[in-house]
Amino acid sequence: MERKYVIRGKKPLKGEIEVSGAKNASLPAICATLLAPGVYKLKKVPKVRDVFCMLKIMKYLGAIYEFKKDYLKIDTTKVNKFSVPYELASQMRASILFLGALVGAFKKAEVPLPGGCAIGKRPVDFHIKGISQLGANINLERGNLIVKTKKLKGTEIILDFPSVTATENLMMAGCLTEGETVIKNAAKEPEVVFLGNMLKKMGAEIKGIGEDTIYIKGKKKLKPINIEIIPDRIEAGTYLVLGALLEENEVIVKNVNKIHLKTPILKLQEIGITLEEVDKNAFRVKRKKIINPIKIITAPYPGFPTDLQPFFAVLLTQAKGVSFITENLFENRFLYVFELNRMGAEIKVEDRTAIIKGPTLLMGSPVKATDLRAGAALVLAGLCAENTTTIYNVELIERGYENLIEKLSGVGADIKVIEDES
Ligand code: UD1
């Protein structure tokens, strides 16, 4: 069965779109429930493929879960396995988060080494080095990271780069590690801050969350809690750009945390897009008729997020002049450029920089999603293109966007899912 999206573009969009809970906050939150056996209630976990994949792994480990009306219930009381099956882990790189959670909770773990992925090599050397520095013995056997240790001991860990999931892994392991774990050059992304706050609520002693250095005093035991997931800043950014794509659009995006989106919002302003506050955390997107070209350089938070650059590339095809996007995190994050060019965009990639000449008229074509964000960017391109765009490989988009078709149809987009027998 092949799923594809068929979009008829250039329809003015009008109405409200509500942003869901953050996928990248939900994934570590689900893993963190392993740190203290018991029942957790997580509100606003999005029902997306990556979350279901994570939950399947949890079930394999012995946890029980159920989506209730407005929360996800996870019971980790009977977790009795420590190995993550390859078939599930290979579907999602974030499965590496089980390393820190299992080692922290049980002092042993068997986690498949994630393979390469479409957006780049994405090694996990910082994760392995950090967990080893806490005193764990890590071996690679048949593609699995096997960790055994009697006791972990807090120490100072300096990350070569502020990696999001490496920081999250070390925070989870550090909470139940004797002594003080210090993480230097830590990631400061809102999802890392969220996990830190969740761990604190569970009883962990952590200082410096959201700063360069995180200090964790290990506890013997943590406790289960209830918590609400923060809004998805990348989904919010996707819909803010959507609202700006056509001059006639009148879109209001709800459940936006403006603080988490400071840099992208400044960039929107430079382009000629403003956000009008209509309610608490709800913004109407307003654009000038002629929009400006700009320069974007991706960087760790609070810099411009790599996950948002594909959407800005689509928007900048409509700006008058030449724009530059430099990608500093993942080497293959420009694969969508070839698809956009097939739709009529004029983008050249030189080394790590995409040079976008605008404005160009986008024309509907068959195109292929190469990764989650690239795929969603093609959806945006299809919505501002002439005629019909067909998007293949949409399972990749569904890894991270909850009710995408419903949300877009809700503001008047002409988008359909087609399932072909093949
Ligand atoms: C997380 C996000 C992903 C986002 C990325 C950057 C989740 C589940 N995923 O991914 O959506 O695009 O942050 O904001 O939250 N690196 C190494 N060795 C390591 C780890 C990372 O060299 O051991 C490099 C990576 O190749 C990359 C950079 O560090 O160049 C940053 O990656 P990282 O922050 O680790 O991304 P993820 O945590 O995988």
Side-chain angles (χ1 to χ4, degrees), residues 230-418:
I230 53 170
D232 195 312
R233 67 194 163 104
I234 307 301
E235 191 197 9
T238 309
Y239 294 135
L240 292 175
V241 171
L242 172 79
L245 278 179
L246 297 179
E247 219 191 308
E248 308 76 32
N249 284 354
E250 283 178 49
V251 174
I252 292 173
V253 189
K254 292 167 75 176
N255 195 27
V256 177
N257 184 324
K258 218 177 163 181
I259 297 163
H260 294 169
L261 282 156
K262 239 185 197 162
T263 307
I265 289 174
L266 283 173
K267 288 292 166 189
L268 283 174
Q269 279 166 6
E270 266 186 67
I271 297 174
I273 317 290
T274 46
L275 303 183
E276 185 186 282
E277 190 161 356
V278 288
D279 204 349
K280 196 173 164 266
N281 300 335
F283 299 91
R284 178 181 288 119
V285 185
K286 297 218 148 193
R287 83 165 244 184
K288 288 197 315 188
K289 188 175 168 61
I290 295 178
I291 55 171
N292 312 315
I294 58 156
K295 227 186 215 174
I296 291 175
I297 300 177
T298 65
Y301 191 86
F304 190 93
T306 167
D307 285 25
L308 282 183
Q309 61 92 339
F311 311 112
F312 277 68
V314 174
L315 181 59
L316 291 170
T317 64
Q318 305 306 301
K320 192 170 179 226
V322 182
S323 298
F324 298 86
I325 299 182
T326 301
E327 170 56 53
N328 278 326
L329 275 88
F330 298 114
E331 60 269 30
N332 285 345
R333 254 209 160 144
F334 283 135
L335 294 179
Y336 66 86
V337 161
F338 305 103
E339 303 300 299
L340 282 184
N341 284 348
R342 295 185 54 246
M343 296 177 74
E346 284 183 43
I347 311 177
K348 233 175 26 187
V349 177
E350 280 179 11
D351 195 20
R352 283 181 168 265
T353 301
I355 304 163
I356 306 166
K357 225 166 111 186
T360 46
L361 179 69
L362 298 181
M363 291 163 299
S365 335
V367 285
K368 201 168 86 185
T370 48
D371 66 68
L372 160 59
R373 305 301 170 192
L378 293 174
V379 171
L380 296 201
L383 290 170
C384 83
E386 304 254 290
N387 302 322
T388 306
T389 297
T390 308
I391 304 183
Y392 292 83
N393 267 2
V394 298
E395 286 80 3
L396 286 174
I397 305 172
E398 292 165 356
R399 292 179 60 166
Y401 286 88
E402 188 176 48
N403 300 334
L404 178 70
I405 304 296
E406 291 79 353
K407 289 186 188 185
L408 293 175
S409 309
V411 291
D414 187 344
I415 178 166
K416 289 189 178 62
V417 183
I418 308 279

Side-chain angles (χ1 to χ4, degrees), residues 21-36 40 42 44-46 48 50-55 57-58 61 72 74 76 92-102 105 122 127 163-173 175 187 189-200 202 222 225 227-230 232-233 373 399:
K23 165 182 85 83
N24 285 351
S26 302
L27 301 178
I30 292 170
C31 276
T33 66
L34 291 167
L35 295 172
Y40 295 74
L42 308 181
K44 297 217 168 150
V45 172
V48 293
D50 275 8
V51 163
F52 285 113
C53 181
M54 204 86 184
L55 289 172
I57 298 175
M58 291 293 292
L61 297 176
L72 166 68
I74 304 183
T76 52
M92 188 182 56
R93 285 190 46 87
S95 57
I96 192 68
L97 287 166
F98 282 101
L99 185 68
L102 289 171
R122 298 183 84 171
H127 303 246
S163 156
V164 173
T165 45
T167 305
E168 291 169 348
N169 257 334
L170 293 169
M171 277 164 63
M172 287 191 283
C175 284
E189 269 68 3
E191 296 76 18
V192 175
V193 173
F194 169 80
L195 175 67
N197 289 334
M198 170 168 173
L199 295 171
K200 268 170 85 171
M202 289 169 69
L222 301 177
I225 48 124
I227 200 162
E228 180 174 318
I229 304 291
I230 53 170
D232 195 312
R233 67 194 163 104
R373 305 301 170 192
R399 292 179 60 166

